[in-house]
Amino acid sequence: MKIRPLHDRVLIKRLEENTKTAGGIIIPDTAKEKPSEGLIEAVGDGARTEDGKIIPLNVKVGDKVLFGKWSGTEVKVNGEERLIVKESEILGVIEE
């Protein structure tokens, strides 16, 4: 199954957090928070203005992004969890 987000939404795959602290303590799954970093897998066409013009998105497929803890809607794609988020909920693009 493939999902194409609509309008100004993007499909994000969460990146896994480290399971060890800097001191070497292993964090159990039940104590871990969901990561707020992810990779964009698909993007919509863009937001529409009132007169019907499309404003393209500032992010693209493959961008590594930061988003809020409670952002978006969780969906399952081929048995894996993904997040559909509006572009306005993305806090920033991580550039390495």
Side-chain angles (χ1 to χ4, degrees), residues 56-71:
L57 300 179
N58 291 317
V59 294
K60 61 187 180 307
V61 173
D63 280 352
K64 187 176 178 182
V65 295
L66 287 172
F67 51 89
K69 283 186 181 182
W70 309 110
S71 299

Side-chain angles (χ1 to χ4, degrees), residues 16 19 26-33:
E16 293 299 318
T19 57
I26 297 174
I27 303 169
D29 287 341
T30 55
K32 284 195 292 187
E33 290 186 14

Side-chain angles (χ1 to χ4, degrees), residues 14 29 49 77:
R14 288 184 194 265
D29 287 341
T49 62
V77 179

